[in-house]
Every structure is written in C-alpha cells, then in structure tokens.
Amino acid sequence: MRMSLLFAPTMKEDPQEAEVASHRLMLRGGFIRQLSAGVYTFLPLGWRTLEKIIRIVREEMNRAGGQELLMPAMQPAELWKETGRWDLYGPELVRFQDRRGRDFCLGPTHEEVITDLARREIRSYRQLPLMLYQIQTKFRDEIRPRFGIMRAREFIMKDLYSFDRDVEGLRVSYQKMYEAYCRVFSRCGLRYIAVPAESGVIGGDVSHEFLILAESGEEKVFVCPSCNSATTVEEALCPQCGGFLEEKRGIEVGHIFQLGTKYSEPMKAYFVDRDGKEKPLVMGCYGIGIGRTMAAAIEANHDEKGICWPISLAPYEVVVIPVNMKKEGHRQAAEELYGKLRQSGFEVVIDDREESAGYKFTEADLIGFPLHIIVGERMERNGRVEVKLRKTHERFEVQKDDVCELLEKIRKELLG
Ligand SMILES: Nc1ncnc2c1ncn2[C@@H]1O[C@H](COP(=O)(O)OP(=O)(O)OP(=O)(O)O)[C@@H](O)[C@H]1O
Ligand SMILES: [Mg+2]
Ligand SMILES: [Zn+2]
C-alpha cells in the first residue's frame, strides 16, 4: 500500500474526548471514528487489525473443534420471555417493535437463539458433543459507553456455545476452550491472566475471565508475583503459594462460563441419551470481545509517541520511508525494497508522500508499524539503509540487498 493513497486521516492534537491511551491513539492514528456515543466506524487501518484478531480467533476456535455459523442480530422477544431475561436484562437490551407491533431486541448475546436452534435440531446423544460459534455484531445500550471501542454500544464479539450430554462432557469442552483462549491471546502477542470470576447476568457455576493487565483496566485483580496465580477477591495471602498478592488492574477481553442447564431447562432443549431417557443439554458459553482486545493491545503496547503493535496485530508489518522523495536515489531504492518485501510476503507500506522526513517518522511511530526501513543519505554513500524496531527503538544498518533476510529473522523472533 502507498501512504499517498491510504485513507488514514491522522490527527496532530490529542482529541479531548479520549480518556485512555488506546482511544486517543486509535483516533489520532486514523484507525476509528465515532458516529455516535459508543458507535464507531473502523477505518482501513483499524479494520485490518480487527481482521487479524478475527483470523486468529477463528483459527483457534476451528482447531478446538468449533464450527462457525452466523445468527441474526434481530431476535424475537418470545425467546427472551422463555428464559425470563426479557425482564431481567433491563435497559441495556436494545428493544424495538416491528410494524405489526411485535417485540424484538438486537442481540447483546445469543444463548436464547442458539438454544432454540439446539432444541429443534439436536435429538440424540449421537450429535454430541457440539461446539458452534459466530463472530458477529452485538448491541448493548451500556449505561456508560466509554474508552472508545473498549466499552461500546455496538461491538464485534466471538461467541461460542458448547453442548454436551453431561457435566463431565461440559468440563472437557470447557477445558478445550480455556486452552484455545490461551492460544488466542498468546498469538495476539498479549500477556494475559485467567481468573475465576462471578458469572453475573449470564449465570451458571464455573467461569473464568481473561484479562490483559493495564492501569486503565476497569477490573481489580490480585496477582501473586511469585506463582502468577490471580483472583478477583482480596485475600490476605496467595492460596497457591502463601506469597503476598499485588493489587493490579485488568481489562476483561474474554469470559467463559459453564452454564449447565440454565437455558436448556426453561427452553426445553432435550436430547435422547444412550439409555433412552430424555435429558436437558448441558451447555457452556464463551465470549471474546474483538474490538476490546484491539484496545487492550494498545493499552499494553504504546509509548509517548504512539502505538507499538505486536507484529501479529499490526495493520502492516513494515513501513519503507524514503527520506527525500525529490532525490531519485532515495525514491528508487525505496520502491525497489517495497517491491521485494511484498514479494517475500511482507505486509508493507511505502511512505511515498512529499512530506518532510520528520513528519513521516512521527506518523510511522504514531500508527505503530513494528518495522521501519529508512532510505536516506547512507543509501547514496554506501548502499545501506536503516532498519528500526518500533517497540525497542533498536536500529540496524544493513546493505539494501540484505534487508529481506534481516526482516525475516526479526519477524520470526517477534512472533516468538
Ligand atoms: N460494551 C462492550 N464493548 C466492547 N466489548 C464488550 C462490551 N461488553 C462486553 N464486551 C466483550 O465481550 C466479551 C463477552 O461478553 P460478556 O457478556 O462476558 O461481557 P461483560 O461481562 O458484560 O463485560 P463487562 O463486565 O466489561 O461489561 C467480554 O469479555 C468483552 O471482551
Ligand atoms: Mg457488561
Ligand atoms: Zn502465589
């Protein structure tokens, strides 16, 4: 991609409305724009990063045995009345009536819809276990939408639902998902912790929250520095090792629940078991906030100049910066590198704009490309370019022809 063509409207000044770094940097870097409180457009750079998170999530859900489907956002009230949540959910539920006066809502989550599907289609234990998921837009009229896409009113979530014959089966499905979540957040390049949690409105017995540690986090957690175990309830000593717990703050990016028969009983989602008896399906549900994961990645990876994307989430991996577009030597060498890197499978941007070098460096730091290649005077003097690592500020001088090889090595190291 050429910077001269890229639709990434950046901002020089800090936007007033942004209270946290991720919100501020996503606006300034041209990743998102607000349409209404808690409602956002993802611009091309923002959408590329979001898509990368989606791809990782999809691969890991498939690897764990999940099958992807897509359910409607528009849901009839009758289903929600069956579980009692039409009344319980309160004003967070976006409700409306169709032209015939029938009540509907825009799904904040899909337990009712998936349980309705299951009760119609799952008849026998032979169809179990089953894991179905979607990556889809959710609606919640949050009392306090804030921090940009971190707490939005319309946001993309991955929600998976597991169906088993019994509690032992549920435990196996839950464990698979727990491990899939660990892989998702590691592949995103994020340091996460999993804590046993309260299950709130969704209900059920066992549940875990996956948190990214960040000062701006809304959740209080107590982490043991010696054994790394964590809880949401304050305890005098670490129950695992006896050490002292440290109070930290975290951002909830994922939540997994063992629901049991909380939805299948009231909605009569039964199957015929091996012994010929009718039994309620034993369920679990598992959510990941895609946009919130993007925001949390920035909270955990930025400095005073801008975003320092983990390479697996960066909208582009490399930016090639010709220092002076008026100099044929800079321009040509940069174009040549741009072509070569693309051929070697890198996601590259060339900053081919007739702007000052300082301006281009500042924007490259703000947007947070992990690898910068600077083509300037050295090119003319001795055929060398500068490679800069955004996060660590490390700099290397290399011969133009050795750039691809070096970047491949660095990329491998960054991916871990
Ligand atoms: N308003 C929101 N904006 C963006 N992402 C959200 C929002 N609400 C929930 N999520 C994401 O969806 C995931 C699954 O939803 P879940 O119902 O478990 O959230 P929740 O417990 O209501 O979250 P919170 O306590 O932050 O309101 C959450 O872990 C989070 O990553
Ligand atoms: Mg909530
Ligand atoms: Zn401990």
Side-chain angles (χ1 to χ4, degrees), residues 92 140 142 151:
E92 205 174 293
R140 295 184 183 182
E142 296 277 354
R151 184 169 294 285

Side-chain angles (χ1 to χ4, degrees), residues 301-314:
N301 297 283
H302 70 274
D303 60 20
E304 67 291 345
K305 291 181 172 161
I307 304 170
C308 309
W309 287 114
I311 196 158
S312 56
L313 301 190

Side-chain angles (χ1 to χ4, degrees), residues 89 92 140 142 149-153 155 157 202 218-219 252-255 257 287-290 292:
Y89 222 94
E92 205 174 293
R140 295 184 183 182
E142 296 277 354
I149 60 169
M150 193 101 85
R151 184 169 294 285
R153 295 197 295 169
F155 58 95
M157 193 203 284
I202 293 190
E218 291 183 300
E219 310 263 325
E252 180 198 317
V253 285
H255 205 162
F257 304 85
I288 292 180
I290 304 291
R292 193 182 283 181

